[in-house]
Amino acid sequence: MTGKLPFEALSVDTLAARLGANDALCSHIGKDTSRWKVREVGDGNLNLVFIVEGAMGAAVVKQALPYVRLVGDSWPLPLKRSFFEYHALTRQEARAPGSVPAIHHFDEGQALIIMEYLSPHIILRRALIEGRQLPNIARDIGLFMARTLFRGSDLHMATKDRKADLALFADNVELCDITENLVFSDPYFDAKMNRHTSPQLDSIVAELRADRDLKVEAQRLKHIFAANAETLLHGDLHSGSIMVTETETRMIDPEFGFYGPIAFDVGMLLANFWMAFFSQRGHEQNGKRDTMRAYLLDVTVDTWSVFRTEFSHLWRTERTGMLYQKSLFEDQGDRLGAEQALDHMLHQVWTDMLGFAGVEVHRRILGLAHNADFETIADEDLRATCEAKALKFGRHIAVNRRQIHSIDEVNKLAALIEQENRI
Ligand code: SR1
Ligand code: MG
C-alpha cells in the first residue's frame, strides 16, 4: 500500500490483502499472509484497531476513520489525527524512552500506524475495575508526565524547535474542539449528546447546571486549556490510554496531542484514579474493596510526588530553554531564585491540575463519553450513588482548587465523601 491511494478503511477480511506487501509489518510478523490471523479489537471512541498475528509474531494496526466511531458518520472527524498521534508518539519516545509502543510504520494517506503489539498488557482501566493493584503505575506515569511535559516545553527545548512544534500541532483543531466542548462546556448545559444515569441523578445534574461558581470555574479552565500553550500534551491521558502488566506501563493513543497547559495531562490522569476510587463500591460483588480504595488514593499521592520530584530534577539539570534561564539565577550564584520560580510553577500546576481533574470527573458522568469504571456497574441505583459522590468531589476540587494545599487534603475529602450514606 502506498500513501497515494485514496483512503479506504481496513477490515478483518481485507487487511491481509492490503498490507501483505508491507515490509515493516512482514518483518515483524512474517510474510506468509495465509498464516495471518486478524482481529478488530478497538473499544475506544474513535478508531479501528486490529491485532495481526503471523508466524513470527504480532503487531497492532491502528487506523483512523473519517468520523467519530462512537457516534457514526453524522460526526465527521479528519483523518489527520493519525498524523498527530504519530508525531506525538515519536516525541514521547524521545523524551521518555520506553514509555510508548514502538512504531513500525506510518501511512499518512491511509491514516494508519503499525506498531508494537503489547502483550500480555491490558488496559489500566480494566485492571482497576478488576481490583488489581499494580505496583509501578505511579512511578511510571509520574515519570512519563514529568519528562514529556518538561522536555516538550520552553523550559527545555530550543525555542525555534518548540515554536515549530507548536505550529505543527496547532492544526489538531478538531480534536481540541472535542475536548473544549465535551470536557469544559457540554456537561454544564443540556447539550444534545449528553447522558447520565436517570432519573437517579436528575436533580443533582440540574443543580450542577445551575451552579454559577462551577460554570465560571469550568470556563476559566477552558480558557487556560485553550490559551496556555506550554507544552506538548498527551491530551487524553486517562486510564483507558494506558496499558499495563504487573511490572510494565505504556502510554498509548496520543491523538489529542497539542500544545496546552502542563496541568491538563496531570489533572485528567488523577481524575481517572479518583473515579476508579469512587466506582469501587460498585464492584464489590466478590468482596470488599477497602484495600483497593486505599491503594488508589496512595497511587494519587505517589503519582503526584513522582511527577513533582522528577519535574524538579529536570528543572535543576535540563533547564536549557528560554524560560527562567540559568544566566539569571544559578550562574549568578542565586540557586534560591531558581527554586522560588520552580515553586511558583509547581504551585500553578497543582492548582490548575485540581480544576482539570474536577471537570474531567464531571464530563465522564454527565457528558457523551462515559467510562467503564461506572458504566460496568449494572445496578443503576448503586451506579448513581457512586457517580453522585464523584460529582460532589469533582465540584469541590474544581471550585475550591485555590484553597486546597495538599493531596492528602484532597484524599481526605474523597474518603469522607465515599463514606457518606446519602448524597
Ligand atoms: C467523541 S470522542 C470522546 C472522547 O473519547 C476520547 O477518548 C476522548 O477522551 C474524547 O473526549
Ligand atoms: Mg483514545
Side-chain angles (χ1 to χ4, degrees):
M1 180 191 296
T2 77
K4 293 188 186 109
L5 294 172
F7 171 84
E8 193 184 329
L10 292 163
S11 72
V12 167
D13 297 329
T14 61
L15 189 142
R18 291 190 51 208
L19 296 180
N22 184 289
D23 291 340
L25 184 55
C26 291
S27 71
H28 283 91
I29 71 169
K31 57 182 170 196
D32 180 357
T33 54
S34 70
R35 300 192 55 190
W36 287 13
K37 281 196 208 119
V38 183
R39 282 177 290 146
E40 205 277 313
V41 296
D43 63 353
N45 295 327
L46 299 180
N47 308 299
L48 295 171
V49 181
F50 300 91
I51 294 174
V52 192
E53 289 170 280
M56 282 167 49
V60 164
V61 176
K62 178 171 177 180
Q63 188 179 37
L65 290 165
Y67 54 84
V68 173
R69 185 180 182 169
L70 172 70
V71 176
D73 54 14
S74 61
W75 186 345
L77 197 64
L79 298 171
K80 66 185 177 188
R81 63 185 186 274
S82 180
F83 169 90
F84 297 116
E85 175 162 355
Y86 166 72
H87 282 284
L89 282 168
T90 61
R91 283 148 183 80
Q92 289 169 346
E93 178 56 29
R95 292 167 190 161
S99 61
V100 297
I103 297 176
H104 303 327
H105 179 76
F106 171 54
D107 182 333
E108 188 175 348
Q110 296 303 317
L112 71 84
I113 304 174
I114 303 176
M115 63 186 118
E116 181 182 3
Y117 171 50
L118 299 173
S119 175
H121 302 62
I122 63 166
I123 293 287
L124 173 59
R125 196 186 299 289
R126 219 178 92 200
L128 300 180
I129 292 170
E130 286 170 6
R132 284 178 52 189
Q133 297 179 27
L134 299 143
N136 297 335
I137 54 172
R139 180 199 65 196
D140 295 345
I141 307 170
L143 289 177
F144 171 80
M145 292 191 301
R147 290 172 183 169
T148 55
L149 300 174
F150 184 92
R151 290 175 174 152
S153 77
D154 261 333
L155 295 168
H156 177 75
M157 288 176 83
T159 189
K160 187 168 174 287
D161 296 341
R162 179 193 162 274
K163 286 186 169 72
D165 256 14
L166 179 65
L168 183 100
F169 285 95
D171 194 29
N172 203 3
V173 180
E174 292 77 5
L175 273 75
C176 285
D177 182 70
I178 288 180
T179 304
E180 285 151 9
N181 289 312
L182 264 52
V183 176
F184 297 103
S185 289
D186 288 6
Y188 306 109
F189 74 100
D190 189 19
K192 200 166 141 222
M193 285 182 290
N194 282 351
R195 63 190 174 86
H196 63 262
T197 307
S198 178
Q200 292 88 340
L201 294 182
D202 289 357
S203 60
I204 296 175
V205 173
E207 260 175 50
L208 290 175
R209 290 193 182 142
D211 187 330
R212 183 185 296 150
D213 290 344
L214 177 61
K215 287 188 289 185
V216 169
E217 211 49 67
Q219 290 311 294
R220 291 176 79 176
L221 289 157
K222 185 176 185 175
H223 189 172
I224 298 169
F225 176 83
N228 193 358
E230 241 176 354
T231 194
L232 179 62
L233 299 176
H234 177 286
D236 197 25
L237 192 60
H238 54 76
S239 50
S241 299
I242 298 172
M243 298 199 70
V244 292
T245 65
E246 262 327 284
T247 52
E248 244 216 357
T249 314
R250 304 278 196 103
M251 305 344 120
I252 61 170
D253 279 4
E255 68 205 308
F256 283 76
F258 87 111
Y259 266 77
I262 289 172
F264 183 76
D265 276 357
V266 186
M268 182 176 270
L269 190 262
L270 291 184
N272 277 264
F273 290 141
W274 281 312
M275 282 189 279
F277 170 83
F278 284 108
S279 73
Q280 291 299 312
R281 195 163 295 279
H283 303 296
E284 290 189 320
Q285 304 87 339
N286 301 320
K288 296 293 268 179
R289 292 282 184 97
D290 291 338
T291 53
M292 186 63 191
R293 272 187 283 273
Y295 160 80
L296 284 163
L297 296 188
D298 285 348
V299 167
T300 65
V301 173
D302 295 345
T303 305
W304 175 248
S305 161
V306 170
F307 168 79
R308 265 188 74 102
T309 305
E310 180 69 3
F311 194 93
S312 303
H313 169 70
L314 296 173
W315 177 279
R316 291 169 195 133
T317 55
E318 293 190 15
R319 212 172 72 252
T320 50
M322 60 106 161
L323 286 181
Y324 306 98
Q325 296 126 287
K326 291 197 167 183
S327 51
L328 299 173
F329 300 107
E330 288 93 333
D331 294 354
Q332 297 179 28
D334 184 15
R335 206 179 57 81
L336 278 181
E339 292 297 304
Q340 183 178 323
L342 170 62
D343 268 2
H344 280 302
M345 179 136 205
L346 285 172
H347 181 71
Q348 196 59 54
V349 173
W350 162 257
T351 307
D352 293 346
M353 174 284 278
L354 287 177
F356 290 129
V359 295
E360 167 68 1
V361 170
H362 285 170
R363 72 95 168 213
R364 293 292 184 190
I365 297 170
L366 307 178
L368 165 73
H370 288 219
N371 63 25
D373 308 61
F374 295 121
E375 293 293 287
T376 54
I377 304 172
D379 177 334
E380 290 188 1
D381 290 338
L382 180 56
R383 188 202 310 155
T385 303
C386 297
E387 291 175 328
K389 290 177 180 186
L391 289 172
K392 182 174 178 178
F393 170 80
R395 190 222 175 253
H396 186 94
I397 59 172
V399 171
N400 302 310
R401 61 202 175 95
R402 288 173 205 80
Q403 286 81 50
I404 302 175
H405 299 294
S406 75
I407 197 138
D408 286 338
E409 200 181 327
V410 179
N411 284 338
K412 270 190 194 129
L413 173 81
L416 267 178
I417 294 177
E418 214 294 314
Q419 281 158 20
E420 285 174 2
N421 287 325
R422 295 183 65 81
I423 294 291

